[in-house]
Amino acid sequence: MRVLLVGAGGVGTAVTRIAARRDFLTHMVVADYDLARAEAAVATHKDHEGRFSARRLDASDEVAVGRVLREERCDVLLNATDPRFVMPLFNAALAAGAHYLDMAMSLSAPHATAPHEQCGVKLGDEQFAQVAAWERAGRLALVGMGVEPGLSDVFARYAADELFDDIEEIGVRDGSNLSVEGYDFAPSFSIWTTIEECLNPPVVYERDRGWFTTAPFSDPEVFDFPDGIGPVECVNVEHEEVLLIPRWVDARRVTFKYGLGDDFIAKLKTLHDLGLDATTKVTVPGADGPVEVSPRDVVAACLPDPATLGDRMKGKTCAGTWVKGTKDGVAREVYLYHVVDNEWSMREYGSQAVVWQTAVNPVIALELIADGTWEGSGVLGPEALPPRPFLDLLTAYGSPWALREEH
């Protein structure tokens, strides 16, 4: 399989380190707007018989992306950029006749008059609008294939197939006990994406009501995470699983809650109050005259790159899916989860836990597509495909998942 990986940040670099150990990969072109980042991502793979190369590429330029896909004879485009580049990359892959994978879906827009009650443009709406075109092309766009969304959706499908006869609720729950030495505020994932998902109105699904929204950080609950992480307060956050799971899994309710913490929430609210979460450019003085910048890009530039924090990080991160329902007429609750210890991921791969946990899942998906285990056409979420081969490969990659019965 020949892959065009667009985005050589923390997740993209971790993708190269994981994929380098797998035989299914024939060649990976690592492309980034910053050529130096792409070259750094492939520098450690020089002894892999030319399986990696670096190119400069603007992810917003559909024509240029399509040209690289054709020139490099790539079978699939793996999008490791932030969500604002989803649509140009998605469109470029379709035009070039390549398969497509991403880890975050096309952006949402709040309802104009009732943002905390009704959905406006939902996550992924722009992509699902093109289902017919992808089906006609006979190509697969596998959307939301990271850890959350991604592995969490695979867990939901597995629960529906093997653990439950009837599902009352599926709740994705994410928490950690990670800390970063020397920083009062250092997010372990892209602050651009974190602002987007945390300050947008969260979406909830109920079978009798459909999709609807609530206020940011609503409905707090304390969830007890495994492997020593312990109780963490989680709140509603906008996330793709709520938009994906109900399309293929029958459940009466679907939610996503994230363990952010009071301090993190307070900082996000302050950014919003000051307008620093905005993506619309503003004019500021520059050395050579006025320049236009996005406030959110300024915030990202002022914070440390999450990919560089691994040596200062301690603790574990947990991604998982809590499911409540019945099996053989008996009530049951389970939590299917995946934990990554930062010490392990740094020692084994040189990548911090959050980006490594995100990166391993699209690599597994690529391997399943390469060997024909996962196949299809159109725009599909992970829960549309068989879960057991994926979970077996996750264990084979040396990072097993687990199941906890809830009582």
Side-chain angles (χ1 to χ4, degrees):
M1 172 180 277
R2 296 181 64 85
V3 178
L4 172 61
L5 169 66
V6 184
V11 173
T13 299
V15 163
T16 70
R17 293 170 180 173
I18 298 165
R21 303 186 185 190
R22 306 302 296 184
D23 293 337
F24 78 89
L25 181 71
T26 305
H27 189 81
M28 178 173 281
V29 181
V30 182
D32 196 277
Y33 188 79
D34 181 349
L35 177 59
R37 288 211 312 177
E39 290 175 336
V42 306
T44 58
H45 307 308
K46 290 182 179 178
D47 58 344
H48 283 263
E49 300 177 352
R51 290 203 300 160
F52 293 86
S53 59
R55 293 189 64 153
R56 186 191 179 280
L57 185 61
D58 181 350
S60 68
D61 188 338
E62 291 183 25
V63 174
V65 174
R67 182 168 59 249
V68 171
L69 282 166
R70 294 185 184 93
E71 288 175 358
E72 298 285 354
R73 298 173 289 108
C74 291
D75 304 293
V76 59
L77 187 159
L78 173 56
N79 175 3
T81 65
D82 68 56
R84 65 187 133 168
F85 300 110
V86 163
M87 289 312 298
L89 295 174
F90 180 83
N91 292 333
L94 177 61
H99 299 304
Y100 169 88
L101 273 77
D102 64 31
M103 291 163 267
M105 294 164 62
S106 61
L107 293 170
S108 65
H111 191 276
T113 58
H116 299 158
E117 292 85 30
Q118 299 179 43
C119 295
V121 177
K122 301 188 297 302
L123 291 169
D125 275 357
E126 288 186 85
Q127 291 172 286
F128 282 113
Q130 297 191 38
V131 168
W134 282 86
E135 289 177 341
R136 285 195 301 272
R139 292 293 178 265
L140 171 63
L142 181 55
V143 297
M145 191 59 256
V147 59
E148 290 175 342
L151 177 58
S152 50
D153 304 73
V154 173
F155 283 149
R157 175 81 267 165
Y158 174 76
D161 286 356
E162 300 196 26
L163 304 180
F164 291 86
D165 298 321
D166 180 73
I167 295 177
E168 178 181 337
E169 182 169 354
I170 296 173
V172 180
R173 300 291 183 265
D174 179 302
S176 77
N177 61 1
L178 292 169
S179 61
V180 183
E181 181 184 356
Y183 290 97
D184 292 328
F185 185 62
S188 57
F189 201 70
S190 162
I191 189 62
W192 200 103
T193 304
T194 301
I195 289 172
E196 182 71 21
E197 63 189 23
C198 291
L199 291 177
N200 279 345
V203 181
V204 175
Y205 172 83
E206 292 180 358
R207 183 190 294 160
D208 296 335
R209 186 176 174 183
W211 286 294
F212 62 94
T213 58
T214 69
F217 316 118
S218 58
D219 197 16
E221 69 172 59
V222 175
F223 190 85
D224 188 16
F225 288 92
D227 281 18
I229 296 173
V232 178
E233 184 176 81
C234 299
V235 295
N236 280 328
V237 168
E238 180 191 49
H239 232 249
E240 285 89 346
E241 291 95 325
V242 179
L243 288 311
L244 285 171
I245 290 171
R247 297 175 187 269
W248 289 281
V249 178
D250 187 15
R252 285 191 282 282
R253 180 177 168 86
V254 182
T255 59
F256 179 95
K257 292 187 180 182
Y258 195 8
L260 295 172
D262 291 341
D263 181 65
F264 199 101
I265 290 172
K267 286 182 168 64
L268 290 174
K269 287 181 175 178
T270 299
L271 290 174
H272 178 67
D273 291 342
L274 295 174
L276 294 175
D277 61 326
T279 57
T280 303
K281 292 183 177 181
V282 297
T283 302
V284 299
D288 299 317
V291 294
E292 291 188 334
V293 295
S294 156
R296 194 184 300 184
D297 287 341
V298 173
V299 172
C302 290
L303 291 171
D305 180 352
T308 66
L309 297 176
D311 291 333
R312 294 173 173 262
M313 285 175 61
K314 291 185 178 3
K316 301 175 182 179
T317 184
C318 178
T321 304
W322 165 76
V323 187
K324 178 181 180 181
T326 59
K327 178 68 173 178
D328 299 326
V330 178
R332 189 181 193 188
E333 289 184 47
V334 302
Y335 183 56
L336 302 117
Y337 65 92
H338 182 246
V339 172
V340 177
D341 187 325
N342 188 72
E343 181 182 355
W344 175 86
S345 64
M346 286 297 296
R347 182 179 67 249
E348 294 294 321
Y349 287 89
S351 296
Q352 55 104 319
V354 176
V355 299
W356 189 91
Q357 189 182 45
T358 303
V360 68
N361 296 286
V363 178
I364 292 171
L366 287 173
E367 183 161 347
L368 292 173
I369 293 168
D371 68 18
T373 302
W374 273 12
E375 59 182 356
S377 61
V379 181
L380 301 180
E383 53 279 280
L385 298 163
R388 174 56 78 173
F390 187 99
L391 296 175
D392 288 346
L393 256 188
L394 181 62
T395 299
Y397 273 50
S399 189
W401 60 284
L403 181 154
R404 182 179 72 185
E405 294 283 352
E406 306 289 280
H407 301 287

Short mmCIF file of all heavy atoms in Angstrom, two decimals, residues 354-398:
data_model
loop_
_atom_site.label_atom_id
_atom_site.label_comp_id
_atom_site.label_asym_id
_atom_site.label_seq_id
_atom_site.Cartn_x
_atom_site.Cartn_y
_atom_site.Cartn_z
N VAL A 354 -0.77 10.74 24.25
CA VAL A 354 -2.01 11.15 23.59
C VAL A 354 -1.87 11.06 22.08
O VAL A 354 -2.76 10.56 21.39
CB VAL A 354 -2.41 12.57 24.04
CG1 VAL A 354 -3.64 13.04 23.29
CG2 VAL A 354 -2.67 12.60 25.55
N VAL A 355 -0.75 11.55 21.54
CA VAL A 355 -0.60 11.50 20.08
C VAL A 355 -0.37 10.06 19.62
O VAL A 355 -0.85 9.67 18.55
CB VAL A 355 0.52 12.44 19.59
CG1 VAL A 355 0.21 13.88 19.94
CG2 VAL A 355 1.88 12.05 20.10
N TRP A 356 0.35 9.25 20.40
CA TRP A 356 0.56 7.86 20.00
C TRP A 356 -0.77 7.11 19.99
O TRP A 356 -1.05 6.35 19.04
CB TRP A 356 1.54 7.15 20.95
CG TRP A 356 1.92 5.79 20.43
CD1 TRP A 356 2.99 5.50 19.63
CD2 TRP A 356 1.21 4.56 20.65
NE1 TRP A 356 2.99 4.15 19.33
CE2 TRP A 356 1.90 3.55 19.94
CE3 TRP A 356 0.07 4.20 21.35
CZ2 TRP A 356 1.50 2.23 19.92
CZ3 TRP A 356 -0.34 2.88 21.34
CH2 TRP A 356 0.37 1.90 20.63
N GLN A 357 -1.59 7.31 21.02
CA GLN A 357 -2.88 6.62 21.08
C GLN A 357 -3.78 7.02 19.92
O GLN A 357 -4.54 6.19 19.40
CB GLN A 357 -3.57 6.92 22.41
CG GLN A 357 -4.82 6.08 22.66
CD GLN A 357 -5.50 6.45 23.94
OE1 GLN A 357 -5.69 7.63 24.25
NE2 GLN A 357 -5.89 5.45 24.72
N THR A 358 -3.69 8.26 19.50
CA THR A 358 -4.46 8.70 18.34
C THR A 358 -3.93 8.05 17.06
O THR A 358 -4.70 7.61 16.20
CB THR A 358 -4.40 10.22 18.21
OG1 THR A 358 -4.89 10.82 19.42
CG2 THR A 358 -5.23 10.71 17.04
N ALA A 359 -2.59 7.99 16.93
CA ALA A 359 -1.98 7.57 15.67
C ALA A 359 -2.08 6.08 15.39
O ALA A 359 -2.14 5.66 14.23
CB ALA A 359 -0.50 7.99 15.67
N VAL A 360 -2.10 5.25 16.42
CA VAL A 360 -2.05 3.81 16.19
C VAL A 360 -3.30 3.32 15.45
O VAL A 360 -3.23 2.37 14.64
CB VAL A 360 -1.85 3.04 17.51
CG1 VAL A 360 -3.07 3.14 18.42
CG2 VAL A 360 -1.51 1.58 17.24
N ASN A 361 -4.43 3.96 15.68
CA ASN A 361 -5.69 3.45 15.12
C ASN A 361 -5.81 3.61 13.60
O ASN A 361 -6.22 2.67 12.92
CB ASN A 361 -6.85 4.09 15.86
CG ASN A 361 -6.85 3.70 17.32
OD1 ASN A 361 -7.19 2.59 17.68
ND2 ASN A 361 -6.44 4.62 18.18
N PRO A 362 -5.46 4.76 13.01
CA PRO A 362 -5.51 4.81 11.55
C PRO A 362 -4.49 3.88 10.89
O PRO A 362 -4.75 3.38 9.78
CB PRO A 362 -5.21 6.28 11.22
CG PRO A 362 -4.58 6.84 12.45
CD PRO A 362 -5.18 6.09 13.59
N VAL A 363 -3.37 3.61 11.55
CA VAL A 363 -2.41 2.67 10.97
C VAL A 363 -3.02 1.27 10.93
O VAL A 363 -2.89 0.55 9.93
CB VAL A 363 -1.09 2.68 11.76
CG1 VAL A 363 -0.12 1.65 11.17
CG2 VAL A 363 -0.45 4.06 11.73
N ILE A 364 -3.68 0.88 11.99
CA ILE A 364 -4.36 -0.42 12.01
C ILE A 364 -5.42 -0.47 10.91
O ILE A 364 -5.54 -1.47 10.18
CB ILE A 364 -4.99 -0.69 13.38
CG1 ILE A 364 -3.90 -0.89 14.43
CG2 ILE A 364 -5.92 -1.91 13.34
CD1 ILE A 364 -4.41 -0.95 15.84
N ALA A 365 -6.18 0.62 10.76
CA ALA A 365 -7.21 0.66 9.71
C ALA A 365 -6.58 0.52 8.33
O ALA A 365 -7.12 -0.20 7.47
CB ALA A 365 -8.00 1.95 9.81
N LEU A 366 -5.46 1.19 8.10
CA LEU A 366 -4.78 1.07 6.81
C LEU A 366 -4.38 -0.38 6.54
O LEU A 366 -4.52 -0.88 5.42
CB LEU A 366 -3.54 1.96 6.79
CG LEU A 366 -3.76 3.47 6.68
CD1 LEU A 366 -2.43 4.21 6.85
CD2 LEU A 366 -4.42 3.85 5.37
N GLU A 367 -3.88 -1.06 7.57
CA GLU A 367 -3.47 -2.45 7.39
C GLU A 367 -4.67 -3.34 7.05
O GLU A 367 -4.58 -4.23 6.19
CB GLU A 367 -2.77 -2.96 8.65
CG GLU A 367 -2.26 -4.38 8.50
CD GLU A 367 -1.17 -4.76 9.51
OE1 GLU A 367 -0.63 -3.86 10.18
OE2 GLU A 367 -0.86 -5.96 9.59
N LEU A 368 -5.81 -3.09 7.70
CA LEU A 368 -7.01 -3.88 7.42
C LEU A 368 -7.54 -3.62 6.00
O LEU A 368 -8.06 -4.53 5.34
CB LEU A 368 -8.09 -3.57 8.45
CG LEU A 368 -7.80 -4.05 9.87
CD1 LEU A 368 -8.88 -3.54 10.83
CD2 LEU A 368 -7.73 -5.58 9.93
N ILE A 369 -7.40 -2.38 5.54
CA ILE A 369 -7.81 -2.06 4.17
C ILE A 369 -6.84 -2.70 3.18
O ILE A 369 -7.24 -3.26 2.15
CB ILE A 369 -7.88 -0.53 3.98
CG1 ILE A 369 -9.02 0.05 4.81
CG2 ILE A 369 -8.07 -0.18 2.50
CD1 ILE A 369 -9.00 1.56 4.91
N ALA A 370 -5.55 -2.65 3.50
CA ALA A 370 -4.53 -3.20 2.59
C ALA A 370 -4.72 -4.70 2.38
O ALA A 370 -4.52 -5.20 1.27
CB ALA A 370 -3.14 -2.91 3.14
N ASP A 371 -5.09 -5.42 3.45
CA ASP A 371 -5.23 -6.87 3.29
C ASP A 371 -6.65 -7.31 2.94
O ASP A 371 -6.93 -8.50 2.86
CB ASP A 371 -4.72 -7.62 4.53
CG ASP A 371 -5.58 -7.40 5.78
OD1 ASP A 371 -6.74 -6.98 5.66
OD2 ASP A 371 -5.08 -7.69 6.88
N GLY A 372 -7.55 -6.34 2.73
CA GLY A 372 -8.90 -6.65 2.29
C GLY A 372 -9.87 -7.04 3.39
O GLY A 372 -11.03 -7.35 3.11
N THR A 373 -9.43 -6.99 4.65
CA THR A 373 -10.33 -7.33 5.76
C THR A 373 -11.41 -6.27 5.91
O THR A 373 -12.57 -6.60 6.17
CB THR A 373 -9.53 -7.47 7.07
OG1 THR A 373 -8.54 -8.48 6.90
CG2 THR A 373 -10.43 -7.84 8.23
N TRP A 374 -11.03 -5.03 5.79
CA TRP A 374 -11.99 -3.93 5.77
C TRP A 374 -12.13 -3.45 4.33
O TRP A 374 -11.13 -3.09 3.69
CB TRP A 374 -11.53 -2.78 6.66
CG TRP A 374 -11.94 -2.93 8.10
CD1 TRP A 374 -12.46 -4.03 8.70
CD2 TRP A 374 -11.87 -1.91 9.11
NE1 TRP A 374 -12.72 -3.77 10.03
CE2 TRP A 374 -12.36 -2.49 10.31
CE3 TRP A 374 -11.43 -0.59 9.13
CZ2 TRP A 374 -12.43 -1.76 11.51
CZ3 TRP A 374 -11.49 0.13 10.31
CH2 TRP A 374 -11.99 -0.46 11.49
N GLU A 375 -13.33 -3.45 3.83
CA GLU A 375 -13.56 -2.98 2.48
C GLU A 375 -14.94 -2.35 2.39
O GLU A 375 -15.82 -2.60 3.22
CB GLU A 375 -13.44 -4.13 1.47
CG GLU A 375 -14.41 -5.28 1.71
CD GLU A 375 -14.21 -6.41 0.72
OE1 GLU A 375 -13.36 -6.25 -0.20
OE2 GLU A 375 -14.89 -7.44 0.85
N GLY A 376 -15.12 -1.53 1.39
CA GLY A 376 -16.39 -0.86 1.19
C GLY A 376 -16.20 0.37 0.34
O GLY A 376 -15.08 0.72 -0.04
N SER A 377 -17.29 1.02 0.02
CA SER A 377 -17.24 2.27 -0.72
C SER A 377 -18.24 3.23 -0.12
O SER A 377 -19.15 2.83 0.61
CB SER A 377 -17.54 2.04 -2.21
OG SER A 377 -18.86 1.51 -2.37
N GLY A 378 -18.05 4.49 -0.39
CA GLY A 378 -18.89 5.52 0.21
C GLY A 378 -18.18 6.18 1.38
O GLY A 378 -16.96 6.07 1.54
N VAL A 379 -18.95 6.87 2.20
CA VAL A 379 -18.43 7.55 3.39
C VAL A 379 -18.89 6.74 4.60
O VAL A 379 -20.07 6.68 4.92
CB VAL A 379 -18.93 9.00 3.48
CG1 VAL A 379 -18.37 9.70 4.71
CG2 VAL A 379 -18.57 9.77 2.21
N LEU A 380 -17.94 6.09 5.27
CA LEU A 380 -18.26 5.19 6.37
C LEU A 380 -17.53 5.60 7.64
O LEU A 380 -16.41 6.11 7.60
CB LEU A 380 -17.86 3.75 6.03
CG LEU A 380 -18.49 3.11 4.79
CD1 LEU A 380 -17.97 1.69 4.61
CD2 LEU A 380 -20.00 3.11 4.88
N GLY A 381 -18.17 5.35 8.78
CA GLY A 381 -17.51 5.47 10.06
C GLY A 381 -16.95 4.13 10.48
O GLY A 381 -17.30 3.08 9.92
N PRO A 382 -16.09 4.09 11.49
CA PRO A 382 -15.48 2.83 11.92
C PRO A 382 -16.50 1.78 12.36
O PRO A 382 -16.26 0.59 12.22
CB PRO A 382 -14.60 3.25 13.10
CG PRO A 382 -14.33 4.70 12.89
CD PRO A 382 -15.55 5.25 12.25
N GLU A 383 -17.65 2.23 12.89
CA GLU A 383 -18.65 1.28 13.37
C GLU A 383 -19.40 0.60 12.24
O GLU A 383 -20.20 -0.31 12.50
CB GLU A 383 -19.64 1.96 14.32
CG GLU A 383 -20.30 3.21 13.80
CD GLU A 383 -19.43 4.43 13.93
OE1 GLU A 383 -19.35 4.99 15.02
OE2 GLU A 383 -18.83 4.83 12.92
N ALA A 384 -19.13 0.98 11.01
CA ALA A 384 -19.75 0.32 9.86
C ALA A 384 -19.00 -0.93 9.44
O ALA A 384 -19.47 -1.67 8.55
CB ALA A 384 -19.83 1.29 8.68
N LEU A 385 -17.86 -1.20 10.06
CA LEU A 385 -16.98 -2.29 9.64
C LEU A 385 -16.78 -3.30 10.77
O LEU A 385 -17.00 -2.97 11.94
CB LEU A 385 -15.64 -1.70 9.19
CG LEU A 385 -15.78 -0.75 7.98
CD1 LEU A 385 -14.54 0.12 7.84
CD2 LEU A 385 -16.03 -1.54 6.71
N PRO A 386 -16.35 -4.53 10.46
CA PRO A 386 -16.23 -5.57 11.50
C PRO A 386 -15.24 -5.18 12.60
O PRO A 386 -14.08 -4.85 12.29
CB PRO A 386 -15.74 -6.79 10.72
CG PRO A 386 -16.12 -6.53 9.30
CD PRO A 386 -16.06 -5.05 9.12
N PRO A 387 -15.64 -5.21 13.86
CA PRO A 387 -14.76 -4.73 14.94
C PRO A 387 -13.69 -5.71 15.40
O PRO A 387 -12.61 -5.30 15.82
CB PRO A 387 -15.74 -4.43 16.07
CG PRO A 387 -16.87 -5.39 15.85
CD PRO A 387 -17.00 -5.53 14.35
N ARG A 388 -13.99 -6.99 15.36
CA ARG A 388 -13.07 -7.96 15.96
C ARG A 388 -11.69 -7.96 15.30
O ARG A 388 -10.66 -7.99 16.01
CB ARG A 388 -13.69 -9.36 15.93
CG ARG A 388 -12.78 -10.47 16.38
CD ARG A 388 -12.22 -10.26 17.79
NE ARG A 388 -13.19 -10.57 18.84
CZ ARG A 388 -12.89 -10.59 20.13
NH1 ARG A 388 -11.65 -10.31 20.53
NH2 ARG A 388 -13.82 -10.88 21.01
N PRO A 389 -11.56 -7.92 13.96
CA PRO A 389 -10.21 -7.88 13.37
C PRO A 389 -9.41 -6.66 13.83
O PRO A 389 -8.19 -6.75 14.03
CB PRO A 389 -10.48 -7.85 11.86
CG PRO A 389 -11.83 -8.45 11.70
CD PRO A 389 -12.60 -8.03 12.91
N PHE A 390 -10.09 -5.54 13.99
CA PHE A 390 -9.41 -4.33 14.44
C PHE A 390 -8.88 -4.51 15.86
O PHE A 390 -7.72 -4.21 16.16
CB PHE A 390 -10.35 -3.14 14.38
CG PHE A 390 -9.69 -1.82 14.68
CD1 PHE A 390 -9.31 -0.98 13.64
CD2 PHE A 390 -9.43 -1.41 15.98
CE1 PHE A 390 -8.67 0.23 13.90
CE2 PHE A 390 -8.80 -0.22 16.26
CZ PHE A 390 -8.42 0.61 15.21
N LEU A 391 -9.73 -5.00 16.76
CA LEU A 391 -9.33 -5.16 18.15
C LEU A 391 -8.22 -6.20 18.30
O LEU A 391 -7.31 -6.04 19.13
CB LEU A 391 -10.54 -5.53 19.00
CG LEU A 391 -11.64 -4.46 19.06
CD1 LEU A 391 -12.85 -4.99 19.82
CD2 LEU A 391 -11.12 -3.17 19.69
N ASP A 392 -8.27 -7.24 17.48
CA ASP A 392 -7.20 -8.25 17.52
C ASP A 392 -5.87 -7.64 17.08
O ASP A 392 -4.81 -7.94 17.66
CB ASP A 392 -7.56 -9.43 16.63
CG ASP A 392 -8.68 -10.29 17.22
OD1 ASP A 392 -9.00 -10.13 18.41
OD2 ASP A 392 -9.25 -11.11 16.46
N LEU A 393 -5.91 -6.79 16.05
CA LEU A 393 -4.67 -6.16 15.59
C LEU A 393 -4.13 -5.16 16.60
O LEU A 393 -2.91 -5.03 16.77
CB LEU A 393 -4.90 -5.46 14.25
CG LEU A 393 -4.37 -6.13 12.99
CD1 LEU A 393 -4.50 -5.22 11.78
CD2 LEU A 393 -2.93 -6.59 13.14
N LEU A 394 -5.01 -4.45 17.28
CA LEU A 394 -4.57 -3.51 18.31
C LEU A 394 -3.74 -4.25 19.36
O LEU A 394 -2.68 -3.77 19.78
CB LEU A 394 -5.78 -2.83 18.96
CG LEU A 394 -5.48 -1.80 20.06
CD1 LEU A 394 -4.66 -0.63 19.53
CD2 LEU A 394 -6.79 -1.29 20.68
N THR A 395 -4.21 -5.42 19.77
CA THR A 395 -3.45 -6.23 20.71
C THR A 395 -2.14 -6.70 20.09
O THR A 395 -1.08 -6.69 20.74
CB THR A 395 -4.29 -7.43 21.16
OG1 THR A 395 -5.47 -6.95 21.82
CG2 THR A 395 -3.50 -8.32 22.12
N ALA A 396 -2.18 -7.09 18.82
CA ALA A 396 -0.97 -7.55 18.14
C ALA A 396 0.06 -6.44 18.00
O ALA A 396 1.27 -6.70 17.94
CB ALA A 396 -1.33 -8.10 16.76
N TYR A 397 -0.39 -5.20 17.97
CA TYR A 397 0.53 -4.05 17.90
C TYR A 397 1.20 -3.80 19.25
O TYR A 397 2.02 -2.89 19.37
CB TYR A 397 -0.24 -2.81 17.47
CG TYR A 397 -0.36 -2.59 15.97
CD1 TYR A 397 -0.81 -3.61 15.13
CD2 TYR A 397 -0.06 -1.37 15.40
CE1 TYR A 397 -0.95 -3.40 13.77
CE2 TYR A 397 -0.20 -1.14 14.04
CZ TYR A 397 -0.63 -2.16 13.22
OH TYR A 397 -0.77 -1.95 11.87
N GLY A 398 0.83 -4.55 20.27
CA GLY A 398 1.46 -4.42 21.57
C GLY A 398 0.79 -3.47 22.52
O GLY A 398 1.37 -3.09 23.54
#
